Amino acid sequence: MKIRVGIYGYGNLGRGVENALKQNQDMELVAVFTRRPPETLKIFTAGVPVVSAASVLDYVGRIDVMVICGGSATDLPEQTPYLARYFSVIDSFDTHAKIPEHYAKVDAAAKEGGNTAMISVGWDPGMFSLNRLLGEAVLPDGKDYTFWGRGVSQGHSDAIRRIEGVADAKQYTIPIDSALEAVRRGENPQLTAREKHLRECFVVAKEGADKERIEREIKEMPNYFADYDTIVHFIDAEELARDHSGIPHGGFVIRSGRTGAELEHSHIIEYRLKLDSNPEFTASVIVAYARATCRMKREGMVGCKTVFDVPPAYLSPRSYGEIISTLL
Amino acid sequence: MKIRVGIYGYGNLGRGVENALKQNQDMELVAVFTRRPPETLKIFTAGVPVVSAASVLDYVGRIDVMVICGGSATDLPEQTPYLARYFSVIDSFDTHAKIPEHYAKVDAAAKEGGNTAMISVGWDPGMFSLNRLLGEAVLPDGKDYTFWGRGVSQGHSDAIRRIEGVADAKQYTIPIDSALEAVRRGENPQLTAREKHLRECFVVAKEGADKERIEREIKEMPNYFADYDTIVHFIDAEELARDHSGIPHGGFVIRSGRTGAELEHSHIIEYRLKLDSNPEFTASVIVAYARATCRMKREGMVGCKTVFDVPPAYLSPRSYGEIISTLL
C-alpha cells in the first residue's frame, strides 16, 4: 500500500512537494488543503481534490502524513501543533532561535494524538544540520563553518521591497571565496559576517524615486545589510523578470578538525549544495523524510522528531537488503 | 559513567582509535587486545593494560563496546562474529561485495549473545555510503558518482610490492579533474574507470632490477592497473621515506538530480573528504559510531547494524536539547 500524503498549503513549497511525490512511486497525493477558495486553485495532479483547510479533519484516517507547507513566521507555529493532534505531520520550520519552543509545542500535541511529527526539515535546517552534527561527532577537535549561497534570500529581498520608492527587488547572498578557501585549507579562521558573505541587490525603483536614498537605506539597514559589504544595482522591471526570476540557492557546511597523538593531522569534511530551485529541493528533502515519518509512526515512535532522530534507511524506498548490498 | 571501550588489534587503525578516544571525554579505553606477546606492545595511554587476545573473554561485562581493528581479508570475517557473541562490537569491514554475507554471520552471532554489532564503519564504507543513500533518497531522478583520492591505496601499493625486483612502492589514486567538473556541472556523464581515476606509482627498484619490465608489469596488471592510465616513477628509498610516508586519502560523493514539473531544475549535492591520515579519520568515525552502538545496545536494539540504522543524535555526546538548539 502506498504512503498516503496530504499537502497543507499550496505555495512554492506545496507545489514542490506535489512534483516530488511523482518521483516517488511508493507515495501518493491524497488531497491538497488550502485556505483560499478551493475552486480558485489549479494543481498539477489530475484527479486529486483541492479541499478547504476548514475541512481537513474529514481526512483523519485517510492520510498517513500531512506535509505542512506554511511559513515559519505565523503559519507553522499554529498549524503544526494543531494538525499533529490528528495526523502525523512534517514541516520545514526554519526560525532557528525558536526551534526548541516549536519542538515542545509540537511534541505535546503529537503525543496527545499518538502521532509522529517531524519538524524543521529541508536543507537548513535539515541536511546542513545533519552535516553539522556528523562533522562535530566525527572530528570533536575542530570548528565548523556554514556558508550560504550563491542564492536568493527571500527575507532580504522582502526587506528591500519595504523601502519607500522600491517597486521590486531580489537579493543574492554570496559566500566570499577567499574565506571559503581559508576554511578549506584548514586554517580555522575567525570570520565576521562581513568576511563570510557579500550581499548583492537588484532593485527596480519606482519612477522618480531617489536612488541615492534607496541605496543608502539598504546599505545601512540594521541586521539585514549594515554588517555586510552590499552591492546595489538599479535595473528595470524587464531585466529583473528576465535575469532574476529563478530561486537558486545552496551553500556549504565545512568541518575542519585534527586527529593524532599530537593533533598533527588535519582533515576537512565539506558538504555542498548547488540548487536551481530552493523550494523544490526543500520539498524533495521533505518528501524523503515524510516516508521516514510514516515508518516511525508505524513503529510506534510518537512525538516530535527531527532529522537527528531518523535512521537513514527509513528515508529510502528500497529494502534494507538492497541498500546494504548496493550502497554500503 | 563513561563508555568502556576495548581495542582488539593494534595496528594503524587501533592506534587511531586510541587517539580518538582521548578526544571524547565520555569514553574511556579499558584494554588493548593483541595476538602478539602483550609485553612487546607499547601503547600511548598510561595505565591501560595490553592483554593477550586469548584472554579476551575475561573482559566480558567490563567492556561496553569492542572496537575490532583487524583486516577485512581474513581477520574480521572470523573476529567479528566470534566477538559479537560476547560483546557489543564495531568493525570497519570494507570488502563491499562480501558485506551481505558478513552481515548475516554477525547478525546471527550478535542476536545469540544479545549484543549490538555495527559493521562496515569508516568513510567508505561509512560516511560515503550514508551520502550515497541520502542523495538517492532526496533526488530520486538522478545519478551518483564516487571519486576517491588523491590518496594512498594500500591494496594497489601492496600489489606493486609483490612484483619481482620491487623493494618498496606507494600508489596514489587520483580523481580526474575534468570528469569531476563534468559531474559538478550536472552533465551526468557515463564514465569508464579510466575516465574517473588516474594511478600514480612511486617505486623503489632493487639493485640491478629491470625497470622497464617492472613498469610494464605494473601497467598491464589486470584489475589493479590495466583499466587505468598509470604513471610510474622510479625513486630511491630516501625519497620514498621523505615524501611518501604519509597515508592521506579522501574523495567525493556527488549526487546530481532533477526536480520540477518537467524535471527542469538541476541540483548538485557534493560530499567531500580531504584527509591527512586515512586510518586516523576512519578511527574517528568508528569512535563516534561506537558511542551509538553502546546507546543502541542500552535500548535493546540487538543484532547487526550499519550506518543506515543509526539515528544521528546517537553519535553526539551532547544532550538532545542542546543539539536541537545549537545544530538544527
Side-chain angles (χ1 to χ4, degrees), chain B residues 262-293:
Chain B
E262 279 152 4
L263 301 185
E264 69 275 27
H265 291 127
S266 171
H267 309 280
I268 304 285
I269 307 173
E270 175 173 335
Y271 181 79
R272 177 186 192 177
L273 296 175
K274 208 169 139 244
L275 312 174
D276 267 3
S277 164
N278 182 353
E280 283 180 11
F281 187 79
T282 301
S284 296
V285 176
I286 288 175
V287 165
Y289 277 90
R291 174 182 294 120
T293 304

PDB file of all heavy atoms in Angstrom, chain B residues 262-293:
ATOM      1  N   GLU B 262       8.566  19.448 -15.038  1.00  0.00           N
ATOM      2  CA  GLU B 262       9.168  18.842 -16.225  1.00  0.00           C
ATOM      3  C   GLU B 262      10.646  18.539 -16.010  1.00  0.00           C
ATOM      4  O   GLU B 262      11.437  18.551 -16.956  1.00  0.00           O
ATOM      5  CB  GLU B 262       8.943  19.755 -17.427  1.00  0.00           C
ATOM      6  CG  GLU B 262       7.538  19.547 -17.973  1.00  0.00           C
ATOM      7  CD  GLU B 262       6.968  20.766 -18.664  1.00  0.00           C
ATOM      8  OE1 GLU B 262       7.696  21.769 -18.802  1.00  0.00           O
ATOM      9  OE2 GLU B 262       5.790  20.705 -19.050  1.00  0.00           O
ATOM     10  N   LEU B 263      10.999  18.272 -14.760  1.00  0.00           N
ATOM     11  CA  LEU B 263      12.389  17.998 -14.382  1.00  0.00           C
ATOM     12  C   LEU B 263      13.316  19.086 -14.917  1.00  0.00           C
ATOM     13  O   LEU B 263      14.419  18.798 -15.392  1.00  0.00           O
ATOM     14  CB  LEU B 263      12.822  16.612 -14.874  1.00  0.00           C
ATOM     15  CG  LEU B 263      12.008  15.412 -14.363  1.00  0.00           C
ATOM     16  CD1 LEU B 263      12.617  14.101 -14.840  1.00  0.00           C
ATOM     17  CD2 LEU B 263      11.901  15.413 -12.843  1.00  0.00           C
ATOM     18  N   GLU B 264      12.845  20.327 -14.853  1.00  0.00           N
ATOM     19  CA  GLU B 264      13.595  21.428 -15.439  1.00  0.00           C
ATOM     20  C   GLU B 264      14.667  22.007 -14.524  1.00  0.00           C
ATOM     21  O   GLU B 264      15.474  22.820 -14.948  1.00  0.00           O
ATOM     22  CB  GLU B 264      12.625  22.534 -15.902  1.00  0.00           C
ATOM     23  CG  GLU B 264      11.906  23.289 -14.777  1.00  0.00           C
ATOM     24  CD  GLU B 264      10.633  22.608 -14.270  1.00  0.00           C
ATOM     25  OE1 GLU B 264      10.531  21.370 -14.368  1.00  0.00           O
ATOM     26  OE2 GLU B 264       9.750  23.312 -13.751  1.00  0.00           O
ATOM     27  N   HIS B 265      14.686  21.579 -13.269  1.00  0.00           N
ATOM     28  CA  HIS B 265      15.670  22.125 -12.332  1.00  0.00           C
ATOM     29  C   HIS B 265      16.692  21.074 -11.926  1.00  0.00           C
ATOM     30  O   HIS B 265      16.347  19.947 -11.594  1.00  0.00           O
ATOM     31  CB  HIS B 265      14.974  22.683 -11.085  1.00  0.00           C
ATOM     32  CG  HIS B 265      14.167  23.910 -11.376  1.00  0.00           C
ATOM     33  ND1 HIS B 265      12.843  24.042 -11.027  1.00  0.00           N
ATOM     34  CD2 HIS B 265      14.516  25.059 -12.011  1.00  0.00           C
ATOM     35  CE1 HIS B 265      12.412  25.234 -11.436  1.00  0.00           C
ATOM     36  NE2 HIS B 265      13.398  25.861 -12.033  1.00  0.00           N
ATOM     37  N   SER B 266      17.943  21.502 -11.953  1.00  0.00           N
ATOM     38  CA  SER B 266      19.052  20.609 -11.676  1.00  0.00           C
ATOM     39  C   SER B 266      19.665  20.947 -10.312  1.00  0.00           C
ATOM     40  O   SER B 266      19.732  22.122  -9.925  1.00  0.00           O
ATOM     41  CB  SER B 266      20.056  20.805 -12.807  1.00  0.00           C
ATOM     42  OG  SER B 266      21.240  20.149 -12.530  1.00  0.00           O
ATOM     43  N   HIS B 267      20.069  19.928  -9.582  1.00  0.00           N
ATOM     44  CA  HIS B 267      20.657  20.131  -8.253  1.00  0.00           C
ATOM     45  C   HIS B 267      21.889  19.254  -8.097  1.00  0.00           C
ATOM     46  O   HIS B 267      21.914  18.138  -8.608  1.00  0.00           O
ATOM     47  CB  HIS B 267      19.655  19.757  -7.158  1.00  0.00           C
ATOM     48  CG  HIS B 267      18.318  20.399  -7.314  1.00  0.00           C
ATOM     49  ND1 HIS B 267      18.052  21.684  -6.937  1.00  0.00           N
ATOM     50  CD2 HIS B 267      17.163  19.937  -7.859  1.00  0.00           C
ATOM     51  CE1 HIS B 267      16.790  21.985  -7.217  1.00  0.00           C
ATOM     52  NE2 HIS B 267      16.232  20.936  -7.782  1.00  0.00           N
ATOM     53  N   ILE B 268      22.871  19.777  -7.383  1.00  0.00           N
ATOM     54  CA  ILE B 268      24.079  19.005  -7.110  1.00  0.00           C
ATOM     55  C   ILE B 268      24.311  18.948  -5.601  1.00  0.00           C
ATOM     56  O   ILE B 268      24.330  19.986  -4.938  1.00  0.00           O
ATOM     57  CB  ILE B 268      25.329  19.658  -7.764  1.00  0.00           C
ATOM     58  CG1 ILE B 268      25.150  19.845  -9.272  1.00  0.00           C
ATOM     59  CG2 ILE B 268      26.588  18.830  -7.451  1.00  0.00           C
ATOM     60  CD1 ILE B 268      25.260  18.596 -10.092  1.00  0.00           C
ATOM     61  N   ILE B 269      24.467  17.730  -5.090  1.00  0.00           N
ATOM     62  CA  ILE B 269      24.861  17.522  -3.692  1.00  0.00           C
ATOM     63  C   ILE B 269      26.272  16.940  -3.726  1.00  0.00           C
ATOM     64  O   ILE B 269      26.496  15.922  -4.368  1.00  0.00           O
ATOM     65  CB  ILE B 269      23.941  16.498  -2.987  1.00  0.00           C
ATOM     66  CG1 ILE B 269      22.467  16.878  -3.136  1.00  0.00           C
ATOM     67  CG2 ILE B 269      24.335  16.349  -1.520  1.00  0.00           C
ATOM     68  CD1 ILE B 269      21.511  15.797  -2.611  1.00  0.00           C
ATOM     69  N   GLU B 270      27.194  17.612  -3.070  1.00  0.00           N
ATOM     70  CA  GLU B 270      28.576  17.125  -3.074  1.00  0.00           C
ATOM     71  C   GLU B 270      29.084  16.947  -1.653  1.00  0.00           C
ATOM     72  O   GLU B 270      29.005  17.862  -0.840  1.00  0.00           O
ATOM     73  CB  GLU B 270      29.472  18.109  -3.837  1.00  0.00           C
ATOM     74  CG  GLU B 270      30.946  17.728  -3.791  1.00  0.00           C
ATOM     75  CD  GLU B 270      31.823  18.610  -4.694  1.00  0.00           C
ATOM     76  OE1 GLU B 270      31.310  19.182  -5.674  1.00  0.00           O
ATOM     77  OE2 GLU B 270      33.023  18.722  -4.397  1.00  0.00           O
ATOM     78  N   TYR B 271      29.601  15.764  -1.364  1.00  0.00           N
ATOM     79  CA  TYR B 271      30.211  15.488  -0.063  1.00  0.00           C
ATOM     80  C   TYR B 271      31.675  15.188  -0.321  1.00  0.00           C
ATOM     81  O   TYR B 271      32.001  14.323  -1.132  1.00  0.00           O
ATOM     82  CB  TYR B 271      29.532  14.284   0.579  1.00  0.00           C
ATOM     83  CG  TYR B 271      30.062  13.924   1.951  1.00  0.00           C
ATOM     84  CD1 TYR B 271      29.671  14.645   3.074  1.00  0.00           C
ATOM     85  CD2 TYR B 271      30.944  12.859   2.123  1.00  0.00           C
ATOM     86  CE1 TYR B 271      30.142  14.312   4.341  1.00  0.00           C
ATOM     87  CE2 TYR B 271      31.412  12.521   3.393  1.00  0.00           C
ATOM     88  CZ  TYR B 271      31.007  13.253   4.492  1.00  0.00           C
ATOM     89  OH  TYR B 271      31.468  12.924   5.752  1.00  0.00           O
ATOM     90  N   ARG B 272      32.548  15.931   0.337  1.00  0.00           N
ATOM     91  CA  ARG B 272      33.965  15.782   0.059  1.00  0.00           C
ATOM     92  C   ARG B 272      34.777  15.574   1.331  1.00  0.00           C
ATOM     93  O   ARG B 272      34.551  16.259   2.332  1.00  0.00           O
ATOM     94  CB  ARG B 272      34.480  17.042  -0.631  1.00  0.00           C
ATOM     95  CG  ARG B 272      35.959  16.958  -0.864  1.00  0.00           C
ATOM     96  CD  ARG B 272      36.551  18.226  -1.423  1.00  0.00           C
ATOM     97  NE  ARG B 272      37.897  17.918  -1.859  1.00  0.00           N
ATOM     98  CZ  ARG B 272      38.714  18.763  -2.459  1.00  0.00           C
ATOM     99  NH1 ARG B 272      38.317  19.989  -2.713  1.00  0.00           N
ATOM    100  NH2 ARG B 272      39.919  18.404  -2.806  1.00  0.00           N
ATOM    101  N   LEU B 273      35.719  14.645   1.273  1.00  0.00           N
ATOM    102  CA  LEU B 273      36.655  14.456   2.378  1.00  0.00           C
ATOM    103  C   LEU B 273      38.070  14.708   1.895  1.00  0.00           C
ATOM    104  O   LEU B 273      38.444  14.286   0.798  1.00  0.00           O
ATOM    105  CB  LEU B 273      36.573  13.016   2.906  1.00  0.00           C
ATOM    106  CG  LEU B 273      35.247  12.609   3.534  1.00  0.00           C
ATOM    107  CD1 LEU B 273      35.273  11.138   3.905  1.00  0.00           C
ATOM    108  CD2 LEU B 273      34.953  13.473   4.763  1.00  0.00           C
ATOM    109  N   LYS B 274      38.841  15.405   2.727  1.00  0.00           N
ATOM    110  CA  LYS B 274      40.265  15.636   2.434  1.00  0.00           C
ATOM    111  C   LYS B 274      40.993  15.293   3.729  1.00  0.00           C
ATOM    112  O   LYS B 274      40.922  16.033   4.704  1.00  0.00           O
ATOM    113  CB  LYS B 274      40.465  17.109   2.046  1.00  0.00           C
ATOM    114  CG  LYS B 274      41.627  17.354   1.133  1.00  0.00           C
ATOM    115  CD  LYS B 274      41.594  18.786   0.582  1.00  0.00           C
ATOM    116  CE  LYS B 274      42.996  19.368   0.568  1.00  0.00           C
ATOM    117  NZ  LYS B 274      43.149  20.526   1.457  1.00  0.00           N
ATOM    118  N   LEU B 275      41.672  14.143   3.721  1.00  0.00           N
ATOM    119  CA  LEU B 275      42.163  13.553   4.966  1.00  0.00           C
ATOM    120  C   LEU B 275      43.678  13.439   4.977  1.00  0.00           C
ATOM    121  O   LEU B 275      44.271  12.845   4.076  1.00  0.00           O
ATOM    122  CB  LEU B 275      41.566  12.146   5.117  1.00  0.00           C
ATOM    123  CG  LEU B 275      40.051  12.026   4.878  1.00  0.00           C
ATOM    124  CD1 LEU B 275      39.617  10.575   4.911  1.00  0.00           C
ATOM    125  CD2 LEU B 275      39.283  12.864   5.889  1.00  0.00           C
ATOM    126  N   ASP B 276      44.295  13.965   6.028  1.00  0.00           N
ATOM    127  CA  ASP B 276      45.744  13.805   6.193  1.00  0.00           C
ATOM    128  C   ASP B 276      46.114  12.367   6.521  1.00  0.00           C
ATOM    129  O   ASP B 276      47.176  11.900   6.144  1.00  0.00           O
ATOM    130  CB  ASP B 276      46.237  14.675   7.361  1.00  0.00           C
ATOM    131  CG  ASP B 276      46.701  16.039   6.899  1.00  0.00           C
ATOM    132  OD1 ASP B 276      46.598  16.331   5.691  1.00  0.00           O
ATOM    133  OD2 ASP B 276      47.165  16.824   7.756  1.00  0.00           O
ATOM    134  N   SER B 277      45.237  11.701   7.270  1.00  0.00           N
ATOM    135  CA  SER B 277      45.534  10.329   7.683  1.00  0.00           C
ATOM    136  C   SER B 277      44.279   9.485   7.560  1.00  0.00           C
ATOM    137  O   SER B 277      43.330   9.648   8.325  1.00  0.00           O
ATOM    138  CB  SER B 277      46.042  10.300   9.127  1.00  0.00           C
ATOM    139  OG  SER B 277      45.965   8.969   9.622  1.00  0.00           O
ATOM    140  N   ASN B 278      44.308   8.574   6.598  1.00  0.00           N
ATOM    141  CA  ASN B 278      43.185   7.677   6.357  1.00  0.00           C
ATOM    142  C   ASN B 278      42.833   6.862   7.616  1.00  0.00           C
ATOM    143  O   ASN B 278      41.685   6.897   8.068  1.00  0.00           O
ATOM    144  CB  ASN B 278      43.555   6.782   5.160  1.00  0.00           C
ATOM    145  CG  ASN B 278      42.463   5.831   4.748  1.00  0.00           C
ATOM    146  OD1 ASN B 278      41.445   5.712   5.402  1.00  0.00           O
ATOM    147  ND2 ASN B 278      42.687   5.137   3.651  1.00  0.00           N
ATOM    148  N   PRO B 279      43.802   6.163   8.244  1.00  0.00           N
ATOM    149  CA  PRO B 279      43.399   5.348   9.410  1.00  0.00           C
ATOM    150  C   PRO B 279      42.911   6.187  10.584  1.00  0.00           C
ATOM    151  O   PRO B 279      41.994   5.758  11.296  1.00  0.00           O
ATOM    152  CB  PRO B 279      44.678   4.568   9.764  1.00  0.00           C
ATOM    153  CG  PRO B 279      45.787   5.254   9.061  1.00  0.00           C
ATOM    154  CD  PRO B 279      45.201   5.920   7.856  1.00  0.00           C
ATOM    155  N   GLU B 280      43.474   7.376  10.789  1.00  0.00           N
ATOM    156  CA  GLU B 280      43.007   8.189  11.918  1.00  0.00           C
ATOM    157  C   GLU B 280      41.595   8.714  11.696  1.00  0.00           C
ATOM    158  O   GLU B 280      40.792   8.773  12.626  1.00  0.00           O
ATOM    159  CB  GLU B 280      43.959   9.355  12.194  1.00  0.00           C
ATOM    160  CG  GLU B 280      45.216   8.902  12.916  1.00  0.00           C
ATOM    161  CD  GLU B 280      46.166  10.051  13.199  1.00  0.00           C
ATOM    162  OE1 GLU B 280      45.779  11.235  13.025  1.00  0.00           O
ATOM    163  OE2 GLU B 280      47.304   9.763  13.580  1.00  0.00           O
ATOM    164  N   PHE B 281      41.273   9.099  10.463  1.00  0.00           N
ATOM    165  CA  PHE B 281      39.908   9.560  10.212  1.00  0.00           C
ATOM    166  C   PHE B 281      38.927   8.396  10.338  1.00  0.00           C
ATOM    167  O   PHE B 281      37.861   8.528  10.956  1.00  0.00           O
ATOM    168  CB  PHE B 281      39.790  10.216   8.835  1.00  0.00           C
ATOM    169  CG  PHE B 281      38.439  10.842   8.610  1.00  0.00           C
ATOM    170  CD1 PHE B 281      38.119  12.071   9.157  1.00  0.00           C
ATOM    171  CD2 PHE B 281      37.453  10.175   7.871  1.00  0.00           C
ATOM    172  CE1 PHE B 281      36.862  12.645   8.977  1.00  0.00           C
ATOM    173  CE2 PHE B 281      36.195  10.739   7.682  1.00  0.00           C
ATOM    174  CZ  PHE B 281      35.901  11.978   8.229  1.00  0.00           C
ATOM    175  N   THR B 282      39.298   7.250   9.762  1.00  0.00           N
ATOM    176  CA  THR B 282      38.452   6.054   9.899  1.00  0.00           C
ATOM    177  C   THR B 282      38.201   5.767  11.377  1.00  0.00           C
ATOM    178  O   THR B 282      37.059   5.505  11.796  1.00  0.00           O
ATOM    179  CB  THR B 282      39.140   4.843   9.230  1.00  0.00           C
ATOM    180  OG1 THR B 282      39.353   5.151   7.853  1.00  0.00           O
ATOM    181  CG2 THR B 282      38.308   3.580   9.341  1.00  0.00           C
ATOM    182  N   ALA B 283      39.256   5.844  12.180  1.00  0.00           N
ATOM    183  CA  ALA B 283      39.147   5.600  13.619  1.00  0.00           C
ATOM    184  C   ALA B 283      38.204   6.606  14.276  1.00  0.00           C
ATOM    185  O   ALA B 283      37.411   6.254  15.158  1.00  0.00           O
ATOM    186  CB  ALA B 283      40.529   5.665  14.264  1.00  0.00           C
ATOM    187  N   SER B 284      38.256   7.854  13.842  1.00  0.00           N
ATOM    188  CA  SER B 284      37.398   8.881  14.429  1.00  0.00           C
ATOM    189  C   SER B 284      35.929   8.617  14.124  1.00  0.00           C
ATOM    190  O   SER B 284      35.058   8.831  14.972  1.00  0.00           O
ATOM    191  CB  SER B 284      37.788  10.267  13.894  1.00  0.00           C
ATOM    192  OG  SER B 284      39.099  10.583  14.313  1.00  0.00           O
ATOM    193  N   VAL B 285      35.652   8.160  12.905  1.00  0.00           N
ATOM    194  CA  VAL B 285      34.280   7.797  12.554  1.00  0.00           C
ATOM    195  C   VAL B 285      33.835   6.613  13.413  1.00  0.00           C
ATOM    196  O   VAL B 285      32.734   6.607  13.979  1.00  0.00           O
ATOM    197  CB  VAL B 285      34.165   7.452  11.050  1.00  0.00           C
ATOM    198  CG1 VAL B 285      32.752   6.988  10.717  1.00  0.00           C
ATOM    199  CG2 VAL B 285      34.553   8.649  10.183  1.00  0.00           C
ATOM    200  N   ILE B 286      34.711   5.622  13.539  1.00  0.00           N
ATOM    201  CA  ILE B 286      34.377   4.428  14.321  1.00  0.00           C
ATOM    202  C   ILE B 286      34.060   4.791  15.767  1.00  0.00           C
ATOM    203  O   ILE B 286      33.108   4.265  16.353  1.00  0.00           O
ATOM    204  CB  ILE B 286      35.540   3.413  14.252  1.00  0.00           C
ATOM    205  CG1 ILE B 286      35.585   2.780  12.851  1.00  0.00           C
ATOM    206  CG2 ILE B 286      35.397   2.341  15.335  1.00  0.00           C
ATOM    207  CD1 ILE B 286      36.773   1.861  12.629  1.00  0.00           C
ATOM    208  N   VAL B 287      34.829   5.691  16.344  1.00  0.00           N
ATOM    209  CA  VAL B 287      34.607   6.044  17.753  1.00  0.00           C
ATOM    210  C   VAL B 287      33.243   6.724  17.933  1.00  0.00           C
ATOM    211  O   VAL B 287      32.517   6.424  18.886  1.00  0.00           O
ATOM    212  CB  VAL B 287      35.778   6.901  18.288  1.00  0.00           C
ATOM    213  CG1 VAL B 287      35.417   7.575  19.605  1.00  0.00           C
ATOM    214  CG2 VAL B 287      37.010   6.015  18.472  1.00  0.00           C
ATOM    215  N   ALA B 288      32.861   7.598  17.008  1.00  0.00           N
ATOM    216  CA  ALA B 288      31.530   8.214  17.102  1.00  0.00           C
ATOM    217  C   ALA B 288      30.438   7.143  16.999  1.00  0.00           C
ATOM    218  O   ALA B 288      29.450   7.164  17.743  1.00  0.00           O
ATOM    219  CB  ALA B 288      31.350   9.276  16.015  1.00  0.00           C
ATOM    220  N   TYR B 289      30.615   6.198  16.082  1.00  0.00           N
ATOM    221  CA  TYR B 289      29.617   5.132  15.939  1.00  0.00           C
ATOM    222  C   TYR B 289      29.693   4.111  17.080  1.00  0.00           C
ATOM    223  O   TYR B 289      28.703   3.423  17.362  1.00  0.00           O
ATOM    224  CB  TYR B 289      29.730   4.458  14.564  1.00  0.00           C
ATOM    225  CG  TYR B 289      28.989   5.240  13.498  1.00  0.00           C
ATOM    226  CD1 TYR B 289      29.633   6.241  12.770  1.00  0.00           C
ATOM    227  CD2 TYR B 289      27.642   5.025  13.255  1.00  0.00           C
ATOM    228  CE1 TYR B 289      28.953   6.984  11.822  1.00  0.00           C
ATOM    229  CE2 TYR B 289      26.946   5.763  12.303  1.00  0.00           C
ATOM    230  CZ  TYR B 289      27.602   6.739  11.583  1.00  0.00           C
ATOM    231  OH  TYR B 289      26.920   7.482  10.652  1.00  0.00           O
ATOM    232  N   ALA B 290      30.840   4.011  17.754  1.00  0.00           N
ATOM    233  CA  ALA B 290      30.927   3.140  18.936  1.00  0.00           C
ATOM    234  C   ALA B 290      30.013   3.696  20.028  1.00  0.00           C
ATOM    235  O   ALA B 290      29.343   2.941  20.745  1.00  0.00           O
ATOM    236  CB  ALA B 290      32.373   3.056  19.425  1.00  0.00           C
ATOM    237  N   ARG B 291      29.985   5.022  20.153  1.00  0.00           N
ATOM    238  CA  ARG B 291      29.053   5.659  21.106  1.00  0.00           C
ATOM    239  C   ARG B 291      27.619   5.252  20.768  1.00  0.00           C
ATOM    240  O   ARG B 291      26.833   4.866  21.640  1.00  0.00           O
ATOM    241  CB  ARG B 291      29.220   7.170  21.022  1.00  0.00           C
ATOM    242  CG  ARG B 291      28.221   7.961  21.857  1.00  0.00           C
ATOM    243  CD  ARG B 291      28.422   9.466  21.686  1.00  0.00           C
ATOM    244  NE  ARG B 291      29.696   9.899  22.225  1.00  0.00           N
ATOM    245  CZ  ARG B 291      30.658  10.478  21.530  1.00  0.00           C
ATOM    246  NH1 ARG B 291      30.492  10.720  20.231  1.00  0.00           N
ATOM    247  NH2 ARG B 291      31.779  10.828  22.097  1.00  0.00           N
ATOM    248  N   ALA B 292      27.277   5.344  19.484  1.00  0.00           N
ATOM    249  CA  ALA B 292      25.917   4.996  19.051  1.00  0.00           C
ATOM    250  C   ALA B 292      25.627   3.516  19.302  1.00  0.00           C
ATOM    251  O   ALA B 292      24.521   3.149  19.720  1.00  0.00           O
ATOM    252  CB  ALA B 292      25.738   5.336  17.573  1.00  0.00           C
ATOM    253  N   THR B 293      26.620   2.662  19.056  1.00  0.00           N
ATOM    254  CA  THR B 293      26.456   1.216  19.274  1.00  0.00           C
ATOM    255  C   THR B 293      26.063   0.951  20.723  1.00  0.00           C
ATOM    256  O   THR B 293      25.138   0.178  21.015  1.00  0.00           O
ATOM    257  CB  THR B 293      27.787   0.486  18.976  1.00  0.00           C
ATOM    258  OG1 THR B 293      28.195   0.803  17.654  1.00  0.00           O
ATOM    259  CG2 THR B 293      27.633  -1.025  19.115  1.00  0.00           C
TER     260      THR B 293
END
